[in-house]
Amino acid sequence: MTGLQSTNYGLDYDEQLDSGLYLVAPRDEDYSEGNLGYDTLTGWRNDDVLVRVDSNYFNAGTREYKRLTIEDDYQLFVEGNSSETLSNVLPEDIEDVVDVQVNTLDLATEQENGLSNLVPAAESTSEELELLGQDDGNTTLTVEDQQIGIQLSAGANANPSLNGVFGDDDRTRVTNTTSNPWTKVGFVTAKFGDEWFGSSGVMIGPHHFLTSAHSIFNSTLSDSAGNGGYADEIYVHLGQDGQEKYYGQVGVTYFHTVNGYTADNDGDGIIADADSNEDDGNYDWAVLSLDRNIGNYTGWMGWQWNSDLSWFNDLNVNITGYPKNTINSEGIVETNWSGSLAGIDHSAEMYTISGTINSADNYQIKHHLDATGGNSGGPVWRSEGNSEYVIGLTSGYIHDSQNTPTHNEAIRLQKYMTDLIEDWKTNDPNPVDKPDLVDYDQWFGTDFDYLSSNSIKPGDNLTTRFVTRNNGTAASGNFDVNFYASTDNDVTNSSGSHWFLGSDTISSLDPFNWDYATWSGSFPNLNPGSYYIIGFIDPSTSIDEFDDSAASNQVVFDSILQVQSLF
C-alpha cells in the first residue's frame, strides 16, 4: 500500500502506551468544544462504547497531533453499557495513565449536543469520529513513525475500521497454502537497520520473485550503514500459513528496481520514493533473485500485459497476499501477524479476494477489492486455462480532499516491465541448490521434541527424540545427529559444561521431508541439577547447507531435565 514501507511493523496497545498516545480532533467543524463541553477523543471504540477526553486537553494546545502523556491530568470519559466493556476497548493499564469515568451512553443527548447520526461503530458514518487504531494505511496519526490511523466511513466509502476496505471485508483466509496456486504467493520480511517490515509478492520463475519496491527500498529509513536505501536483509516465506512455513525461509541474492522509484530524477536532492513531485508510485515494483530454485517446488505464475486499456474494464481477477489486519464478520479488526519479523518465529496468514476491477490507466489498475497494509506487492492475478497470470501488484489506496478513500490501486504490468523481467531472469546467475537441515518444530509451531522423563538419576534409562527436516532444495545425503546434556543452551561455547550422550544416523532426506532423530541409553553419572538436552544436527558440518550455523543446527529441547542424587 502507498506509504506502507515504514508502517507494516505496527504497534500493539502496550507499545502504543510506551510511546505515548497520539490523538487528533475531528476535522468536521460541526464538532466544537462549545457544543459538547468537552472535545472528542480519537481513541478506542466498539459497538457499545465511545471514549472521549475532556476539553482541557485540547485547550492546552493545538487540536491536531497532540500527544497525551502520563504527566497530564486529563480525564477520559468512557460512555457505554458498563465498566465491564472497558476491556474490549482500552488497554489493560489505561487506568494507570488517566482517570477513567464511565457514564451511560445516551444517543439522544449526544445528537442534541452536536454528534448527529451517532450509531454503533459497525454502522459509523463519515461524519463521525476518527479513531486511533492499528491500520497501516492511514497517514494522519503517527507513533514513532508507525502509521496507525483508522478512518470511519461507510456506504461507498472505505470500511469504518480499515482504509482499503470498502463495505464488508470480503477477503477470505487461505489455509491450504501448500496447494496450487497459493504456494506461489509469499510473505516478505525486510530489515532496515534495527526495524523489520512485512509485505507480499509472487513467484515468477524458478528463483525470481515479484514484489513492490517499497518492500525492499526506503530512502527515509536507515540501513546498517546509517543511510536510507535498500534493506539490509530480505527473506521470502512462500505459502506461509500462520506459524507453518512449509517452504522455509528463502534468502535473496540480488534485487532489481527502476530509477523511477529509487533515484532523484528531477534533481532536487530528494529520492523519488520520498518526493511528492515525482510519480514514484508508478514505478513501485521490484524483482528479487532468490538464493535457491524454490520455484521448482512451489511453481510460479506467468504474467500478462495489454496496451488496450479497455481490456481491464470489469475484468475478473484475484488479489492475494498477507495483510497485517482484516475485519471479521463481527466488524472487529484482527491482526494477522504476530511476533517479531526478525528470524523465523513470526506468524502470518494469507488472504485472498476475487472480483472485478473497474478500469486501468497507463500505470495503475483501479478497483474496490479489499486490500490493506501488508498486501503491498501481492499479485493481482487471473486464471486462464490451467495457468495463472499476474497483471498487477497491489500498491495503495487513493483518497479525496477529505482524506476519504475512493478506490484501491495496483501497479499495472507493462511491456517495459516484462522486457526488464525477462532480461533479469536471463542474466541473473543461477543459484546452487543445497539442503538445509533444521528442527521441524521451529518451522511449524509444533512441539514434537520428546524426553521419556523430566527427572532421573544417573544410570537410569533416558529416551530423547525430535524431528529433523530438510528445508533446502537438494537431497541431504546421510548425516549424524549428536545428543548432549548441557548446563546451558549452546553446546558450542566454552562457558558451559557439555556431556555427549550418543548419536543417531539419519538416511538422506529429500527436500521438505523429515525423519525422527532418537537416542536411548543409560544417563551418565552427572552431578545433581538442571540440564538442557540438545540435539546437534550434522555436528561435523559434513553437509553443505544453506545455513550451517550452530544456531540453525542445534535443537534445544523444551523440557529441562532434572538429575537427582543417587543417594
Side-chain angles (χ1 to χ4, degrees), residues 111 129 155-156 209 257 273 342 347 351 429 493 514 533 544:
Q111 292 174 0
L129 311 177
F209 186 83
T257 53
D273 76 312
S347 174
Y351 280 79
N493 63 34
W514 59 270
I533 298 299
D544 182 19

Side-chain angles (χ1 to χ4, degrees), residues 370-429:
D370 301 327
T372 55
N375 274 123
S376 299
V380 179
W381 59 278
R382 59 187 299 268
S383 297
E384 191 172 293
N386 294 322
S387 301
E388 305 87 24
Y389 297 92
V390 182
I391 65 168
L393 295 176
T394 301
S395 56
Y397 70 89
I398 302 300
H399 59 79
D400 60 20
S401 60
Q402 300 300 314
N403 203 35
T404 300
T406 59
H407 63 276
N408 289 329
E409 289 191 339
I411 298 292
R412 182 177 73 83
L413 262 66
Q414 302 173 62
K415 185 179 186 303
Y416 92 90
M417 297 171 66
T418 59
D419 287 346
L420 283 173
I421 291 171
E422 290 282 11
D423 182 63
W424 293 332
K425 289 181 64 176
T426 299
N427 292 298
D428 283 346

Side-chain angles (χ1 to χ4, degrees), residues 415-491:
K415 185 179 186 303
Y416 92 90
M417 297 171 66
T418 59
D419 287 346
L420 283 173
I421 291 171
E422 290 282 11
D423 182 63
W424 293 332
K425 289 181 64 176
T426 299
N427 292 298
D428 283 346
N430 290 322
V432 176
D433 288 308
K434 301 177 183 181
D436 196 14
L437 302 173
V438 299
D439 173 20
Y440 185 102
D441 286 344
Q442 286 186 301
W443 298 89
F444 287 84
T446 51
D447 187 16
F448 288 139
D449 61 32
Y450 168 77
L451 290 180
S452 58
S453 176
N454 293 330
S455 179
I456 63 172
K457 293 181 179 180
D460 289 347
N461 190 74
L462 179 69
T463 297
T464 67
R465 183 177 67 235
F466 71 92
V467 179
T468 184
R469 186 177 195 260
N470 181 5
N471 270 9
T473 46
S476 66
N478 297 348
F479 60 94
D480 292 330
V481 175
N482 287 353
F483 290 84
Y484 299 86
S486 176
T487 56
D488 61 19
N489 61 0
D490 182 357
V491 297

Side-chain angles (χ1 to χ4, degrees), residues 29 73 75 85 157 187 219 284 294 318 382-383 399 451 457 492 514 554:
E29 294 182 358
D73 187 22
Q75 185 176 66
T85 62
N157 297 322
F187 182 52
S219 63
D284 187 7
I294 189 71
N318 310 275
R382 59 187 299 268
S383 297
H399 59 79
L451 290 180
K457 293 181 179 180
T492 65
W514 59 270
Q554 285 188 91

